[in-house]
Amino acid sequence: MTHLHLRNALLQALAPLLLAATGGAAFAQASAPADEATAMSFDAARARMLDRSDKLAAARAAVEAKQLQSDGLKRLGGPVVSVSGLAYAYNANLNLDLDPLNQKLGQIGQALPPSIQSFIARVPIPQLPNSYTLNRHDTGSNASVSAVWPIYLGGATDAVRGFVSAQTREAEADAEQASHEVDTLLVQRYFGAQLAQRAAQLRAQAERTIAQHDAAAQKMLAAGVISRVERLQASAAYEEARRNARKAENDAALAAVALARTVRAEGRVAPQTPLFVISAPVEPLGWFIDSALNRHPGLEKVAAKKSQAEQLHEGEEALRRPQVIAFGTRQLKSGNADWVAGLGVRWTLYDSVDRDALSAASQKQVEQAERTGAQARSDISLLVERNWRALDNARRQYLEMQASVELAREVLKLRTSGLREGTSTTLDLIDAETNQAKVLTERAQAANEYVQALAQLLESAGLSDRFSDYIARADVKVN
């Protein structure tokens, strides 16, 4: 028997051992780890995330704060009535110097006639003290009611209320944008975890299969069927497969943790909604652009900023107008109570502040907001077009990869049968299996790119809440 015939005979004898790892031909997907996991569809994960997201809770709190602030200022500019009261006690002392008075009395006596002076001299007259202290003390109370009513403030109160209302709309736009962002984040992590798990399974299956081939190659080397170089090549292929499997396993674990934290799950989450592709094109580009210009929260935020600038301008103008205020106060007591009431008018005729310059500055802020809005509409339209084209490219790429998948399967079948017949080597089979794992992973990656591109497109068009509708339309499921 020739050397070639001996080689083929040994290959045929060892072929069952080599094929046992794969079950004969087709590349089987590895089973998932047996640890406990919570099965969760995309809709269930989204509902859970919307209910527990800290980012959304913070955005809702900001909206509620602005709404409460707006409610608190609804009656700004109305009358203000207040009651005031006081109770008091006092003690006052006044020191009087009587020396000047005593001197005056002496001078008066000297001015009298001598006969009267002699009479006064025989009659003792008491002297006044040098000083005397007067004391006054008392207690009392007073109460009054006062009212102030700004009748006309030039529109300042309306400007304040309008400014706070515009801030509320801005907070609502921020909350809507946050909702779109967490929807896109969930798509990234939900389907990204699926892709990572699928890649880990494919890499683990490839590692196990190549490990069997590596062991068979060692036996073939001992039998003298293959050279030492071929044996080393098989060993190197196994080491590479093992490294790839460990890396894919770590990536899948990290992706699973990220998904669990996104939906606030206690343990691991097992996604039940598969990666998908809609083989037909979605709605035309113009439809998404129209939706973006009507629904994108960024445009609503710009509109709210413009409204704020307009209200600031109105507030500047209000300071140039006269102000009229009614006021009144009355003592709270029976009988003849004190009271006062009247109107006050204030109009600034001259101010050291240049009101014309301030008014022009606020008007420029309005113009700035208008320009920003126009730029935002242009940028959002461009973003929608970019995402729409990325989605269509991802769709085409996935569909076009079908030929590569079929080729990889056929090559694997060919190498498997060739190993039985002695026309293929162990390395040929290893390369075919490794290539099929690579092609299947790349196609799953293409499906994930399609899903992520769809999420980006819907976010840019203000349609993130309709992602589930596109899942229902999918005719290709990557199970």
Side-chain angles (χ1 to χ4, degrees):
M1 181 180 291
T2 65
H3 178 73
L4 180 59
H5 290 161
L6 177 61
R7 174 187 173 94
N8 291 340
L10 289 173
L11 285 173
Q12 291 176 3
L14 294 173
L17 176 61
L18 296 171
L19 298 175
T22 59
F27 193 93
Q29 180 175 326
S31 59
D35 56 324
E36 293 294 331
T38 302
M40 195 174 296
S41 68
F42 178 81
D43 288 340
R46 182 174 185 269
R48 188 183 181 99
M49 179 198 64
L50 294 179
D51 182 59
R52 304 187 182 191
S53 171
D54 291 332
K55 184 174 183 177
L56 292 182
R60 286 192 293 266
V63 173
E64 291 170 2
K66 287 301 180 182
Q67 289 175 340
L68 291 173
Q69 186 178 8
S70 181
D71 292 341
L73 295 175
K74 280 184 177 179
R75 292 186 293 273
L76 180 66
V80 177
V81 179
S82 60
V83 175
S84 61
L86 59 91
Y88 61 89
Y90 69 89
N91 181 69
N93 294 312
L94 178 62
N95 292 322
L96 299 177
D97 186 7
L98 298 182
D99 283 341
L101 182 58
N102 286 330
Q103 294 176 3
K104 290 293 184 183
L105 291 176
Q107 293 174 359
I108 292 174
Q110 295 175 0
L112 294 175
S115 59
I116 297 177
Q117 291 182 10
S118 62
F119 175 77
I120 294 174
R122 292 193 298 270
V123 178
I125 299 176
Q127 294 290 318
L128 294 175
N130 293 331
S131 64
Y132 183 78
T133 301
L134 294 176
N135 177 264
R136 178 73 175 176
H137 61 273
D138 198 0
T139 61
S141 61
N142 185 26
S144 63
V145 59
S146 302
V148 177
W149 192 343
I151 298 176
Y152 178 72
L153 296 180
T157 55
D158 292 336
V160 172
R161 284 193 294 268
F163 182 82
V164 175
S165 178
Q167 285 186 322
T168 303
R169 295 199 302 274
E170 181 183 359
E172 291 172 345
D174 288 337
E176 183 69 17
Q177 181 64 40
S179 177
H180 290 309
E181 290 174 355
V182 297
D183 275 334
T184 302
L185 178 64
L186 177 62
V187 171
Q188 292 174 354
R189 294 185 175 177
Y190 185 91
F191 293 100
Q194 275 202 39
L195 176 64
Q197 182 63 30
R198 182 177 179 83
Q201 291 171 353
L202 290 170
R203 293 296 185 183
Q205 177 66 25
E207 179 192 7
R208 288 191 294 271
T209 303
I210 295 175
Q212 295 288 341
H213 296 339
D214 181 65
Q218 178 62 35
K219 294 181 179 180
M220 295 173 71
L221 175 65
V225 178
I226 62 175
S227 65
R228 180 170 178 78
V229 172
E230 291 177 304
R231 172 68 189 95
L232 292 175
Q233 288 175 336
S235 179
Y238 172 61
E239 290 299 325
E240 182 180 4
R242 187 165 60 178
R243 287 195 304 270
N244 291 335
R246 296 293 83 76
K247 181 179 183 303
E249 181 181 0
N250 290 334
D251 292 343
L254 180 60
V257 170
L259 175 59
R261 291 184 179 178
T262 301
V263 299
R264 296 296 190 270
E266 296 296 333
R268 194 167 60 88
V269 175
Q272 297 300 297
T273 304
L275 288 163
F276 64 91
V277 174
I278 302 175
S279 58
V282 295
E283 291 82 0
L285 173 61
W287 185 85
F288 285 101
I289 291 179
D290 291 341
S291 176
L293 296 180
N294 291 323
R295 302 186 47 157
H296 197 284
L299 295 179
E300 178 59 28
K301 181 172 183 176
V302 171
K305 287 290 189 182
K306 178 185 176 184
S307 180
Q308 292 174 37
E310 291 172 343
Q311 296 304 324
L312 287 175
H313 179 71
E314 287 299 321
E316 289 288 347
E317 293 297 312
L319 297 177
R320 307 170 68 143
R321 303 186 183 107
Q323 301 171 358
V324 180
I325 298 176
F327 63 92
T329 183
R330 185 187 188 280
Q331 283 185 309
L332 294 176
K333 71 175 185 176
S334 59
N336 189 18
D338 295 335
W339 62 271
V340 63
L343 289 175
V345 179
R346 181 177 181 273
W347 193 355
T348 302
L349 300 179
Y350 174 78
D351 195 342
S352 58
V353 176
D354 190 343
R355 295 294 175 186
D356 291 335
L358 293 179
S359 178
S362 60
Q363 187 61 45
K364 286 296 182 182
Q365 289 180 328
V366 175
E367 181 182 348
Q368 176 190 6
E370 291 175 347
R371 297 289 186 180
T372 302
Q375 184 63 47
R377 286 190 292 272
S378 176
D379 292 343
I380 288 174
S381 297
L382 180 60
L383 177 63
V384 170
E385 181 168 357
R386 186 185 70 180
N387 291 336
W388 185 85
R389 294 186 182 280
L391 176 66
D392 196 57
N393 288 338
R395 178 186 67 87
R396 294 176 184 275
Q397 180 180 0
Y398 180 86
L399 297 177
E400 291 169 355
M401 290 184 69
Q402 179 62 32
S404 298
V405 173
E406 293 176 356
L407 175 61
R409 288 174 180 167
E410 292 300 321
V411 170
L412 181 58
K413 291 179 181 179
L414 179 63
R415 298 308 181 199
T416 302
S417 61
L419 185 62
R420 290 195 186 98
E421 298 170 359
T423 59
S424 297
T425 66
T426 303
L427 292 179
D428 292 334
L429 184 57
I430 289 175
D431 290 342
E433 289 170 341
T434 303
N435 181 65
Q436 177 167 278
K438 175 176 175 292
V439 170
L440 291 175
T441 302
E442 289 177 348
R443 199 179 193 209
Q445 177 64 36
N448 184 59
E449 289 176 358
Y450 177 88
V451 170
Q452 303 304 330
L454 176 61
Q456 294 288 343
L457 174 60
L458 295 180
E459 179 185 345
S460 62
L463 299 170
S464 293
D465 55 341
R466 297 187 182 180
F467 187 84
S468 296
D469 296 340
Y470 288 85
I471 294 178
R473 289 168 51 182
D475 56 342
V476 178
K477 304 292 179 66
V478 184
N479 294 312

